[in-house]
Amino acid sequence: MNKNLRKGLRTWIEIDKKAIKHNFNVFRKLVDKDCKILSVVKSNAYGHNFIEFAQEQEKLNTDFLGVDSMQEALALRREGLKKPILVLGYTVPERINEAAKKNISITISNFEFLSAVIKSGVKIKVHIKVDTGMNRHGFLENDIKKVLKILKESGNIIVEGLYTHLSTAKDPKLTTYTNSQIEKFNKWRDAFINAGYSPICHASATGGALLFKNANFDMIRVGIGLYGIWPSKESYLYLKNKISLKPVLSWRTIVAEVKKIPKGSKVGYDGTNIVKKDTILAVVPIGYWHGYPRALSNLGYFLVNGKKANILGRVCMDIIMIDVTYAGKIKVGDEVTIIGKPARTTIQSGGSKNAEITADEISKLLNGSTYELLTRINPLIKRFYI
């Protein structure tokens, strides 16, 4: 990236637009031509900046944009996005009128909210969510007749869609439970069609789209896959030789200070790291406020000059210390990679051009979730779409 773009910044994030296009096309080719794609941009697009990510999805001609809340949906409309938007999460009744005015589709998953939508009196597009075994939001199987009766009697609800969420579809070995969910969903689908409705039916998120073609129906909801992340280790191992996903996010910072400390020195709060050799230490100006997990104290690592630089001591709120003893000649202002591959222009002699730190790799160190790691990156950090 051009250094002038990030001038004055201590940390920033780069988003690769070519990788976004690649990932979208992977899913476009996975499904039939008449199967729609809903691009999930909720939760700040999994940490990637949802306004700009949604704009990229519109350019790629996605069919729907999926958000969690009305706040996100309205923000997209204010920015001029025209594609259909579905609010996947709970909508408070006070926002029903706004949704209708801005042509935003909302989810109905219980009788209380169904009643609130009817009482609002406004014509509005809805997607009925059914619970086929996830046991989160959604009507239950024995609600089918009651739901259809109420919908038929309402004069303002436009049934645009019908959907469910598959709980184990990202594991190719757990076919029995996933197929049982698909069977239950088919009962709802048949009932709605027999009642005269023609809803857009959707069940698959990224995992389902990759592994369960019988769950594609009329639309797939692609989230983590668009960002180049596999939904699970199992799906990656199963499909790695057939499908390539490209991570789109790189996270950078800079060296703020360099110093030599003698063997036996304690580093950071509580002196949790005692160096076993004379060490060259670099200080970088990011910490857990920025979204880098404190649990990676004395465990995580960054890339400096294409070489691994281990974290020394506690991850602080705004500061992390790293060992750059073997990273070559390091000076204040040098670029440090937190996630991604180092920029080739930052590699000195002896550094590896193929070095990379993936979000999955970091999450594995934590025995945690890549989704969580990415969505917790501070939204105030500048994202550059390049």
Side-chain angles (χ1 to χ4, degrees), residues 3 13 16 22 30-31 71 76 132 138 142-143 184 194 234 238 240-241 276 300 302 328 332-333 376:
K3 284 189 177 183
I13 288 168
D16 185 342
H22 167 87
L30 273 177
V31 296
Q71 287 92 332
L76 292 179
T132 57
N142 57 10
D143 294 328
K184 290 178 182 178
N194 290 335
E234 293 81 5
Y238 189 74
K240 65 179 181 178
N241 295 323
K276 297 178 181 180
F302 298 159
V332 171
R376 286 192 172 192

Side-chain angles (χ1 to χ4, degrees), residues 217-228:
F217 295 103
D218 306 309
M219 182 164 73
I220 57 173
R221 304 183 304 269
V222 190
I224 199 73
L226 292 177
Y227 306 94

Side-chain angles (χ1 to χ4, degrees), residues 37-301:
I37 292 179
L38 180 148
S39 299
V40 181
V41 298
K42 67 176 182 176
S43 306
N44 201 31
Y46 294 41
H48 294 65
N49 188 319
F50 80 113
I51 298 294
E52 288 176 280
F53 198 89
Q55 289 169 338
E56 291 303 312
Q57 294 304 300
E58 277 212 348
K59 291 175 187 175
L60 294 169
N61 202 29
T62 191
D63 298 286
F64 268 80
L65 297 168
V67 299
D68 174 61
S69 66
M70 273 296 296
Q71 287 92 332
E72 292 176 337
L74 291 170
L76 292 179
R77 287 288 186 249
R78 284 195 298 271
E79 292 294 329
L81 283 100
K82 305 296 184 185
K83 286 289 182 179
I85 296 173
L86 172 60
V87 177
L88 298 161
Y90 175 66
T91 298
V92 295
E94 293 83 357
R95 311 304 291 264
I96 293 170
N97 285 356
E98 286 179 284
K101 288 178 182 177
K102 297 296 184 180
N103 192 26
I104 295 166
S105 304
I106 59 175
T107 294
I108 298 179
S109 60
N110 59 68
F111 288 109
E112 291 82 1
F113 190 57
L114 176 56
S115 176
V117 174
I118 292 170
K119 286 179 181 177
S120 74
V122 299
K123 286 273 187 184
I124 187 165
K125 295 175 185 176
V126 308
H127 287 231
I128 302 297
K129 185 170 188 181
V130 300
D131 185 354
T132 57
M134 184 77 161
N135 291 313
R136 296 196 308 187
H137 291 304
F139 292 101
L140 297 171
E141 187 174 341
N142 57 10
D143 294 328
I144 294 177
K145 289 183 180 179
K146 186 177 177 181
V147 169
L148 284 169
K149 183 177 184 294
I150 294 172
L151 289 174
K152 283 292 184 183
E153 293 173 351
S154 74
N156 62 316
I157 293 180
I158 303 166
V159 179
E160 181 180 52
L162 175 72
Y163 76 106
T164 192
H165 198 76
L166 305 175
S167 62
T168 60
K170 52 191 174 184
D171 190 335
K173 296 189 294 293
L174 300 178
T175 57
T176 301
Y177 195 74
T178 298
N179 284 325
S180 73
Q181 284 196 262
I182 295 168
E183 285 178 23
K184 290 178 182 178
F185 184 63
N186 270 318
K187 291 179 181 178
W188 279 89
R189 180 172 175 266
D190 291 343
F192 269 65
I193 291 171
N194 290 335
Y197 293 104
S198 301
I200 300 168
C201 293
H202 46 113
S204 286
T206 297
L210 289 168
L211 297 166
F212 290 88
K213 191 171 183 179
N214 58 328
N216 287 351
F217 295 103
D218 306 309
M219 182 164 73
I220 57 173
R221 304 183 304 269
V222 190
I224 199 73
L226 292 177
Y227 306 94
I229 306 295
W230 288 85
S232 65
K233 178 182 70 174
E234 293 81 5
S235 61
Y236 167 70
L237 293 173
Y238 189 74
L239 291 170
K240 65 179 181 178
N241 295 323
K242 297 179 180 178
I243 291 173
S244 169
L245 297 177
K246 296 182 178 180
V248 307
L249 179 147
S250 297
W251 185 6
R252 319 275 192 207
T253 185
I254 57 171
V255 172
E257 190 170 318
V258 182
K259 61 180 64 179
K260 294 180 180 179
I261 59 174
K263 175 182 177 180
S265 297
K266 294 182 178 181
V267 181
Y269 284 119
D270 306 315
T272 61
N273 190 296
I274 302 174
V275 296
K276 297 178 181 180
K277 61 184 184 311
D278 293 348
T279 299
I280 301 175
L281 177 151
V283 179
V284 296
I286 68 120
Y288 57 78
W289 181 83
H290 300 83
Y292 195 83
R294 189 175 185 269
L296 289 173
S297 300
N298 290 309
L299 184 62
Y301 43 84

